Amino acid sequence: MLLFLLLPLSGIAYVAWHVYAILPLSPVWKWGIIAVGVLCFLLLFANFARVTDRLPLPLARVLYEVGTSSIFILLYLTMTFLVLDVGRLLHIVPSSWLHANATAATAIAGFIITVFLCGNIHYYNKVRVPLSFTTQKSLSRPYRVVVMSDLHLGYHNTRADLARWVNMVNAEQPDLVLIAGDIIDGSLRPLVEEQMAQEFHRIEAPVYACLGNHEFYANKPLALQFYRDANIHLLIDSAAVVDSTLVIIGRDDRTNPHRKSINQLATEARQAAENPYIILLDHQPYHLEEAERAGIDLQLSGHTHRGQVWPISWITDHVYECSWGSHRRGGTQYYISSGIGIWGGKFRIGTQSEYVVLTVEAERQK
């Protein structure tokens, strides 16, 4: 937590120093612009403290977007000034560019605006990821499954956004819909006021989901009630037998240190059906070897967002064995989704918003 505070505060000080130096304005205007930037960043903590829950919904949405977007903009301003400083030290960038220079200030502002405008447009492009797996196990029929994760419904991802996603899901005519956690962003207030549960009723297939860490940040009893209202089959350390050959396991989130082991859940699943194809929903993709040892056929996870924006994607790629995409360990397949939604500001830079269209079928006998 201390590092989380120190890094952005250091970034604010560094960017503020450069902004003050580069703007060809009077000190009053310089300090005014810096103060607005700092205020935007502080709105991030107002969101964490749920101050927005006491404000009119349209205003709360604006404050949420501004506050959560500011940390990404701060990151890119910090990187931009770092590159310019390195260039100055290497005598590539003239020192005059960083002092009272309207052209340089305009160029930097234009660059940041362009990057985040493109990132916002890219966020709304939901990439369809086709995926096919075959198994030597007997399946009663091929299954067409739409997989989503990290919807983060709330102040920024609204009912209108959810309605578009539901339309995309229905267009695939799936047999099942699986959601690998973080349906809720944090506050349930916008979900309740917009009656988002009703949108899930339009999905023309059974919906199964596991919990994510953000459901723990919300009011858990209210979150569970939302799932019931939405007609979502929420699996918390439990399994659902779709038919005698297919079982879906939903593991509780890693936030709960007392959750069941994957091996225990797999054992219970095999007691419920004979030699089934087992799909595990486990929100956070840590310790992938556990699913392999338990003989899980397919694990579906989310959580990472693959960092949302570059270069955070480099960090997630380093932290996780697989932070995004298809992976295999022994006889276990994995898909780690970067999520259809996102936390905070609606920007995708170097990553993608996606949903997976999965086909699982038995191998054909030769």
Side-chain angles (χ1 to χ4, degrees):
M1 178 60 78
L2 181 61
L3 184 64
F4 176 78
L5 289 172
L6 286 178
L7 285 177
L9 290 176
S10 299
I12 288 172
Y14 177 71
V15 168
W17 173 56
H18 271 293
V19 168
Y20 191 91
I22 202 171
L23 290 176
L25 302 171
S26 68
V28 172
W29 279 102
K30 291 181 179 183
W31 283 115
I33 291 170
I34 291 170
V36 170
V38 172
L39 178 61
C40 289
F41 178 78
L42 292 177
L43 289 175
L44 177 67
F45 297 94
N47 293 324
F48 290 153
R50 301 283 174 81
V51 173
T52 45
D53 285 352
R54 300 193 293 269
L55 301 173
L57 190 57
L59 177 59
R61 282 189 179 132
V62 171
L63 297 185
Y64 179 98
E65 293 280 9
V66 171
T68 55
S69 297
S70 65
I71 195 165
F72 298 113
I73 295 170
L74 174 64
L75 171 64
Y76 271 71
L77 281 172
T78 300
M79 292 193 301
T80 300
F81 284 124
L82 279 172
V83 169
L84 291 172
D85 275 341
V86 171
R88 179 176 55 83
L89 292 173
L90 296 176
H91 305 290
I92 298 172
V93 175
S95 297
S96 60
W97 283 19
L98 299 176
H99 296 279
N101 191 316
T103 301
T106 302
I108 291 170
F111 168 72
I112 295 296
I113 290 170
T114 301
V115 166
F116 281 92
L117 179 60
C118 292
N120 179 255
I121 293 171
H122 186 46
Y123 169 76
Y124 284 102
N125 175 33
K126 308 302 178 184
V127 178
R128 180 187 186 273
V129 179
L131 201 61
S132 296
F133 293 129
T134 58
T135 177
Q136 294 180 348
K137 294 182 176 179
S138 297
L139 286 175
S140 58
R141 59 190 174 93
Y143 284 92
R144 186 177 180 85
V145 183
V146 171
V147 181
M148 297 186 290
S149 76
D150 300 276
L151 283 67
H152 287 275
L153 299 174
Y155 286 115
H156 61 319
N157 288 316
T158 66
R159 180 167 179 171
D161 293 307
L162 177 58
R164 286 190 289 271
W165 303 346
V166 169
N167 291 341
M168 289 189 292
V169 169
N170 286 336
E172 300 293 342
Q173 298 181 317
D175 300 302
L176 300 170
V177 176
L178 303 180
I179 304 178
D182 278 2
I183 292 177
I184 299 167
D185 184 62
S187 172
L188 278 149
R189 181 256 186 129
L191 283 73
V192 172
E193 288 195 15
E194 286 200 286
Q195 299 181 330
M196 292 193 202
Q198 298 304 313
E199 284 299 327
F200 285 98
H201 288 208
R202 294 200 300 112
I203 296 179
E204 298 166 355
V207 181
Y208 297 90
C210 68
L211 291 175
N213 54 306
H214 276 254
E215 274 79 21
F216 282 80
Y217 305 154
N219 182 305
K220 193 170 181 181
L222 290 179
L224 297 180
Q225 183 60 53
F226 175 81
Y227 283 110
R228 288 191 288 269
D229 293 342
N231 198 29
I232 294 171
H233 302 287
L234 181 61
L235 303 175
I236 306 176
D237 276 352
S238 60
V241 179
V242 177
D243 62 30
S244 59
T245 60
L246 178 64
V247 174
I248 310 297
I249 294 175
R251 195 180 188 196
D252 201 355
D253 186 67
R254 189 168 182 258
T255 307
N256 176 12
H258 305 295
R259 65 179 177 165
K260 293 181 181 179
S261 69
I262 295 178
N263 188 59
Q264 183 178 354
L265 292 168
T267 299
E268 293 174 358
R270 294 188 182 97
Q271 292 171 348
E274 184 177 351
N275 194 31
Y277 186 88
I278 300 177
I279 298 178
L280 170 68
L281 301 177
D282 192 359
H283 179 63
Q284 301 192 45
Y286 288 97
H287 301 295
L288 300 185
E289 71 279 359
E290 294 180 4
E292 179 191 8
R293 291 170 186 163
I296 298 296
D297 295 292
L298 172 61
Q299 176 175 328
L300 301 170
S301 300
H303 181 65
T304 71
H305 302 192
R306 209 193 173 201
Q308 299 191 190
V309 300
W310 178 89
I312 301 176
S313 53
W314 284 356
I315 298 174
T316 58
D317 287 348
H318 178 74
V319 169
Y320 298 93
E321 178 180 334
C322 176
S323 72
W324 171 65
S326 293
H327 188 59
R328 186 182 181 96
R329 266 181 159 271
T332 302
Q333 301 276 0
Y334 303 81
Y335 192 85
I336 315 302
S337 176
S338 56
I340 193 169
I342 212 165
W343 171 86
K346 292 181 174 179
F347 309 113
R348 285 281 190 179
I349 303 170
T351 66
Q352 66 185 34
S353 295
E354 64 180 29
Y355 63 102
V356 177
V357 181
L358 168 67
T359 301
V360 180
E361 57 186 332
E363 289 183 356
R364 294 178 182 177
Q365 298 297 323
K366 294 182 180 180

